[in-house]
Amino acid sequence: MIRIWEVKQQKNVASFADHTAPVSSLAFSENGYHMASAAADGVKLWDLRKLKVINYGMASDAADSMAVGYAEA
């Protein structure tokens, strides 16, 4: 599960439970609108304004670890 916290108010403002495996990597866009997450079940791209997955990719059976990075085009 991924949880987004609002530091000033010290509370959870969003939770994402779409991965079926433990999340191994997270990356955020510079503007804060998108997040990429990686787990053994694949990579997901999230729209943080709509709080939903907008794209995903499946992991290879041979992958034992994954990392993601985010770069604006």
Side-chain angles (χ1 to χ4, degrees):
M1 166 142 346
I2 301 167
R3 292 191 175 122
I4 306 294
W5 287 84
E6 203 286 293
V7 177
K8 270 189 181 177
Q9 297 178 14
Q10 298 183 1
K11 69 176 189 172
N12 180 24
V13 293
S15 295
F16 305 94
D18 289 38
H19 279 290
T20 58
V23 174
S24 59
S25 185
L26 285 175
F28 293 88
S29 65
E30 213 173 289
N31 62 12
Y33 293 162
H34 298 98
M35 172 180 71
S37 60
D41 64 344
V43 176
K44 296 180 188 271
L45 179 62
W46 305 82
D47 184 324
L48 295 176
R49 295 169 291 178
K50 296 179 181 176
L51 302 177
K52 68 178 191 173
V53 173
I54 56 174
N55 203 347
Y56 67 93
M58 299 307 290
S60 164
D61 289 341
D64 21 329
S65 65
M66 247 186 220
V68 295
Y70 194 96
E72 298 288 336

